[in-house]
Amino acid sequence: MAEKTRYSDEELEEFRQIINEKLALAKRDYDQMMRVLMNQDSNDVDDTSPTYKALEEGSATQSKEELISMAARQQKFIQGLKAALVRIENKTYGIDRLTGELIPKERLRAVPHATLSVQSKMNQKK
């Protein structure tokens, strides 16, 4: 029997559902982070009242920088998931971009935007 070179349409549909669920959660989390960054969820006067508490401002700045970093990572994750949906449409999803072999289903279920098998990823880091 010949080795599989791509996942079946049924398998791709399973992955599409997984990705769409993760994408919805990721977008929700990203939107929530952006609302916090833009003070949209708050009615307080933090952004208009004068403050002279340097330590609190430093802490708020650090928290904001961490949130910006998290939002950037989340945006990158969303882009990876969207790219995975394109690969499903093209029927190239789940194919290791270095070896051309199928990435194991377990890895794709855990990391649905993966483009490398664990072995390829380890070889790439060497």
Side-chain angles (χ1 to χ4, degrees), residues 120-126:
S120 291
K121 189 146 184 99
M122 287 172 49
N123 289 343
Q124 195 178 40
K125 287 184 178 181
K126 288 181 184 176

Side-chain angles (χ1 to χ4, degrees), residues 23-63:
L23 189 56
L25 286 173
K27 284 180 177 178
R28 186 201 67 201
D29 291 348
Y30 177 77
D31 290 343
Q32 191 173 3
M33 285 180 224
M34 294 310 290
R35 279 195 305 276
V36 170
L37 283 170
M38 308 248 196
N39 291 326
Q40 290 178 347
D41 284 346
S42 144
N43 285 331
D44 58 5
V45 292
D46 282 350
D47 54 347
T48 57
S49 66
T51 58
Y52 302 100
K53 302 174 194 114
L55 289 175
E56 284 183 22
E57 282 183 5
S59 177
T61 300
Q62 182 180 3
S63 294

Side-chain angles (χ1 to χ4, degrees), residues 1-12 14-15 91 93-96 99-105 108-109:
M1 187 169 132
E3 188 177 324
K4 272 176 74 168
T5 56
R6 78 169 189 89
Y7 284 111
S8 71
D9 290 347
E10 293 79 21
E11 291 167 318
L12 291 176
E14 174 194 341
F15 290 124
K91 301 194 186 309
Y93 179 79
I95 299 171
D96 186 308
T99 66
E101 297 173 0
L102 284 182
I103 299 170
K105 282 185 181 182
L108 292 173
R109 286 187 183 115

Side-chain angles (χ1 to χ4, degrees), residues 10 13 19 31-32 69 77 82 100 103 111 118:
E10 293 79 21
E13 193 53 42
I19 291 168
D31 290 343
Q32 191 173 3
S69 176
F77 179 57
K82 286 181 178 178
I103 299 170
V111 186
V118 173

